[in-house]
Amino acid sequence: MGTRSVRLDEDTYAYIEANKREDETFSEAVDRLTQRPSITDLAGLLDSEDVDTMRDAVDEADERDAEEVRELKERFRDS
């Protein structure tokens, strides 16, 4: 793999240098720090209680939305 020279602002360089791990090259630090998280990075972030709470909230919102749609259908049907 080839190499390239790049210019970095001093504050950007300082950020990378401050977050570079001892066992990685500067290039590896840049690569790690610029990676976007993947969905697999979220695994284990929430416990089952959090997930249940979120599911309940989504289900309740779905029910409210369905009720609003029914009410709108009735309102337009009657007009």
Side-chain angles (χ1 to χ4, degrees):
M1 186 177 348
T3 61
R4 298 239 177 184
S5 295
V6 296
R7 284 182 194 234
L8 299 172
D9 293 334
E10 288 184 27
D11 59 335
T12 302
Y13 184 90
Y15 173 80
I16 295 168
E17 188 172 44
N19 289 282
K20 182 183 148 324
R21 297 174 180 157
E22 285 187 29
D23 64 337
E24 68 185 352
T25 66
F26 205 84
S27 183
E28 290 168 337
V30 169
D31 189 44
R32 177 178 53 81
L33 293 169
T34 58
Q35 294 297 313
R36 294 182 179 192
S38 74
I39 192 73
T40 58
D41 294 334
L42 301 176
L45 188 64
L46 302 172
D47 63 25
S48 61
E49 186 176 321
D50 291 333
V51 172
D52 290 342
T53 301
M54 293 172 74
R55 279 191 184 126
D56 290 344
V58 169
D59 289 344
E60 289 172 13
D62 286 345
E63 289 172 18
R64 283 192 307 270
D65 290 345
E67 181 60 29
E68 286 180 29
V69 168
R70 282 190 293 275
E71 289 173 5
L72 284 172
K73 286 169 80 175
E74 288 177 22
R75 192 176 307 160
F76 283 112
R77 188 178 318 136
D78 294 340
S79 58

